Amino acid sequence: MFIYLYFHILHYQKLDVSADESAYFPLETILLDCGSSALRALSYDGRNWTNDSSHFGASNSESSFAMSRASLEETSVAEVPYMTARLFHSRFTYTFNVTPGSKFIRLHFYPDSYMNLNASKSFLTVTAGNYTLLRNFSAYLNAKHIKSAYFFKEFIVHVENHTLDLTFSPTTNASDGYAFVNGIEIVSMPLSLYYQANNVSAMETMHRVNVGGQSIPPNEDTGMSRSWAMDSSYIFGEAFGVENYDFDASITYPKEVSAYIAPQGVYKTPHSMSPVPEININYNLSWTFPLDPSFMYLIKLHLCEISRNITKINQRVFDIFINNQVIERGIDIIALTYGNDIPLYRDFTVLIPNLTTKHDLWLELHPNLQTKPQYYDAILNGAEIFKVSNIDGNLAGLNPSLKNESNVDGDEPSFSSSSSKTSTEAILIIIGSLLVLVLAISLGFYLVAFLRRRNLEWTKKENTRSSLPYRSFSIDEIKMATDNFNEAKLIDRGAFGLVYKGYIDHGSIAVTINRLIQC
């Protein structure tokens, strides 16, 4: 069961445009190239990174950590901060002197062989004060899952005093077990950017996408070094819609929307639907985002009307769905902002239920038909999704499950002897053979019953065939019903061809259409 607690930031009783479009200037920007022995700062993504030696906690023993360089130096992997790592064989703490307030914490990982250690044996737990950011975390499994040699995890933590302690611990006690980190960022942020009211829970950034546009690197963000990814990998099916852009648009932030909330590039490149209303009313703009179960999530959607064809109320009105449930109807950006090129956002809180595996969150937009707008269309500029810590301060999820990998679902590696492995395989083979035999017998009984029932139904159909009404369709009508056999409407591939879902009589009747494929 999905529970949706949503609240809207209803801006603009009457719009007063602010000319202040300055970016946010963080009070702290700490960039650590962990394990580096460089005596001077090294530049990466337009920022200067230093070694991590000045932030060691006083309680750390010299035997608890080591520094190492990656054995495989891929040209696609940046030198800073990924080519060096700090290794931990026991509990290790970094101490940062900071001002009270909210901070971005970004942990960078490049799971390679350090000091001849196996990256798959590294399992890590990270805490920040009273919050658990990662538990039994495998950088190796996560890199395999996202098919990237390196990556980072971003968290938001509220610091009450002037000290932030970041503690790393290896999870496994195996002799070859260890933990590591390649880079650490601490960047301050405005309290009101993502937190609501007095809520100061920790959060993890799960997804941040520039919908309809290119990726935006940290040095092009509004002062907080956030990374905005393209949305193409999140779009469901073949219904990509239309990528719009107006790089000449003059984005004007109102007083209710801070200029640092998102870069102008987010608002200049939205995703909308097709120009054909008959097509738009029969599909949704859809994105899927994998999330961890048993957590609350904050979803922030960025909206801005940049089309010069839409300048009046009730020209483009749409609904927002999350996991097939309506969370807001009748969004009319012009009605809310009183003009073009003016950003607004919507915040929604969603609870993902207690499941055993990762869950995909569905975000969908559909034209609102009740208001009968001039254009049956929908638009989205950007989306951010944050996991909110549980009541015990935990943010840690499971490691991804990979085929042919040990350590699935976040479990530590098990070390068994070859004899026990052989006996287990023998037992599995016997059980598998018995299951195949039972299935074969069951299938035989099923086929006999099925053939008898089909003969009876066929006889009934032959007796009543002449009395049934029928209706013929032209090929043009069939193409219109299926959007010219759009792959997004394909629902089955059978022995007798392809089966599509379509709509006839102006979308009032849903039908299935079988398209025969001749060999």
Side-chain angles (χ1 to χ4, degrees):
M1 178 180 180
F2 300 96
I3 300 176
Y4 301 96
L5 308 174
Y6 56 89
F7 46 90
H8 308 154
I9 310 301
L10 295 178
H11 316 296
Y12 332 115
Q13 294 181 1
K14 182 63 178 176
L15 183 66
D16 293 320
V17 175
S18 171
D20 182 13
E21 296 186 1
S22 61
Y24 174 75
F25 295 97
L27 297 174
E28 292 95 15
T29 299
I30 301 171
L31 308 174
L32 302 185
D33 184 14
C34 298
S36 172
S37 58
L39 298 179
R40 61 182 180 84
L42 300 176
S43 178
Y44 169 62
D45 64 18
R47 300 180 295 164
N48 293 324
W49 297 65
T50 62
N51 68 49
D52 58 343
S53 58
S54 62
H55 296 280
F56 292 175
S59 60
N60 296 324
S61 63
E62 292 187 3
S63 61
S64 66
F65 63 91
M67 52 194 294
S68 177
R69 189 168 180 85
S71 61
L72 181 61
E73 299 187 15
E74 296 186 13
T75 56
S76 61
V77 181
E79 169 73 22
V80 178
Y82 296 107
M83 285 298 110
T84 60
R86 182 68 61 179
L87 276 62
F88 315 110
H89 297 283
S90 61
R91 181 184 175 94
F92 183 91
T93 298
Y94 286 96
T95 298
F96 302 95
N97 295 320
V98 296
T99 57
S102 302
K103 315 293 176 187
F104 280 115
I105 299 176
R106 301 186 183 103
L107 306 178
H108 295 259
F109 298 97
Y110 173 43
D112 187 52
S113 175
Y114 300 100
M115 301 179 66
N116 295 321
L117 294 170
N118 189 337
S120 68
K121 302 297 178 63
S122 174
F123 287 82
L124 171 70
T125 294
V126 182
T127 61
N130 296 323
Y131 296 107
T132 301
L133 309 184
L134 300 171
R135 179 185 292 120
N136 197 35
F137 175 77
S138 170
Y140 173 81
L141 290 178
N142 280 270
K144 290 285 187 181
H145 180 68
I146 64 176
K147 297 180 175 60
S148 177
Y150 63 98
F151 64 96
F152 68 90
K153 303 282 283 184
E154 180 182 276
F155 305 90
I156 299 173
V157 171
H158 188 75
V159 179
E160 296 291 345
N161 47 42
H162 291 271
T163 301
L164 171 62
D165 288 330
L166 201 59
T167 301
F168 295 77
S169 304
T171 304
T172 176
N173 293 322
S175 59
D176 55 353
Y178 69 104
F180 75 96
V181 66
N182 297 87
I184 300 174
E185 294 183 55
I186 309 293
V187 180
S188 58
M189 56 177 286
L191 176 62
S192 59
L193 182 61
Y194 299 118
Y195 288 113
Q196 304 297 328
N198 295 320
N199 179 8
V200 290
S201 302
M203 292 191 286
E204 178 183 353
T205 305
M206 302 299 290
H207 306 281
R208 180 182 288 120
V209 295
N210 178 22
V211 176
Q214 299 297 311
S215 59
I216 299 176
N219 60 343
E220 295 180 15
D221 189 40
T222 57
M224 290 164 281
S225 302
R226 295 168 297 179
S227 296
W228 299 76
M230 297 174 61
D231 70 325
S232 54
S233 62
Y234 298 98
I235 296 175
F236 174 74
E238 301 297 326
F240 277 75
V242 178
E243 292 182 356
N244 302 289
Y245 63 89
D246 185 354
F247 296 115
D248 295 327
S250 178
I251 302 300
T252 304
Y253 296 85
K255 288 194 297 186
E256 294 84 352
V257 180
S258 301
Y260 50 68
I261 190 170
Q264 291 195 18
V266 171
Y267 298 113
K268 292 181 178 182
T269 57
H271 227 136
S272 64
M273 306 182 79
S274 79
V276 183
E278 291 81 8
I279 294 176
N280 294 350
I281 62 176
N282 290 316
Y283 89 99
N284 297 334
L285 272 180
S286 303
W287 297 264
T288 60
F289 300 94
L291 300 177
D292 292 323
S294 307
F295 285 95
M296 191 77 75
Y297 288 88
L298 169 65
I299 302 172
K300 181 180 287 292
L301 303 182
H302 298 270
L303 301 164
C304 185
E305 187 59 78
I306 65 169
S307 173
R308 298 300 172 247
N309 295 324
I310 298 179
T311 59
K312 301 177 182 178
I313 293 175
N314 204 41
Q315 285 188 289
R316 175 154 45 194
V317 186
F318 58 93
D319 303 330
I320 300 177
F321 298 78
I322 291 182
N323 288 337
N324 297 319
Q325 294 190 21
V326 181
I327 57 173
E328 186 168 1
R329 289 193 184 276
I331 293 211
D332 187 334
I333 299 176
I334 293 294
L336 293 170
T337 62
Y338 299 98
N340 294 81
D341 305 337
I342 301 172
L344 70 105
Y345 62 88
R346 282 291 188 266
D347 283 347
F348 306 98
T349 305
V350 179
L351 175 64
I352 301 298
N354 185 10
L355 303 171
T356 57
T357 59
K358 288 184 179 293
H359 176 81
D360 281 346
L361 179 140
W362 285 69
L363 171 63
E364 297 177 286
L365 307 181
H366 187 77
N368 182 281
L369 306 183
Q370 284 77 14
T371 58
K372 297 181 179 180
Q374 181 178 349
Y375 303 105
Y376 289 116
D377 200 357
I379 185 175
L380 183 64
N381 300 73
E384 298 177 271
I385 301 179
F386 302 90
K387 182 200 299 182
V388 181
S389 61
N390 289 336
I391 192 171
D392 59 354
N394 177 55
L395 274 171
L398 300 175
N399 286 315
S401 299
L402 302 179
K403 292 182 179 179
N404 302 321
E405 298 283 355
S406 59
N407 323 331
V408 297
D409 293 334
D411 294 333
E412 294 180 22
S414 60
F415 304 94
S416 58
S417 65
S418 59
S419 59
S420 62
K421 181 179 179 181
T422 303
S423 60
T424 301
E425 291 177 349
I427 293 173
L428 292 175
I429 291 173
I430 294 173
I431 294 174
S433 300
L434 291 174
L435 288 174
V436 170
L437 179 61
V438 172
L439 287 173
I441 294 173
S442 301
L443 181 60
F445 283 113
Y446 173 79
L447 287 175
V448 172
F450 174 78
L451 290 173
R452 288 179 178 176
R453 184 169 64 252
R454 189 180 69 171
N455 288 335
L456 290 174
E457 292 176 350
W458 181 261
T459 301
K460 292 179 180 179
K461 289 180 179 179
E462 287 296 315
N463 292 335
T464 59
R465 185 182 299 274
S466 60
S467 62
L468 291 176
Y470 69 93
R471 176 178 172 184
S472 61
F473 295 88
S474 67
I475 185 63
D476 290 336
E477 289 177 310
I478 293 174
K479 286 183 177 181
M480 179 175 290
T482 61
D483 189 15
N484 198 17
F485 297 104
N486 193 320
E487 285 291 323
K489 294 186 179 296
L490 183 63
I491 60 176
D492 192 21
R493 299 177 185 268
F496 299 98
L498 306 177
V499 181
Y500 293 81
K501 181 179 180 180
Y503 293 87
I504 61 174
D505 294 341
H506 304 287
S508 61
I509 300 177
V511 297
T512 57
I513 298 171
N514 190 193
R515 183 183 187 186
L516 299 180
I517 302 299
Q518 296 182 351
C519 299

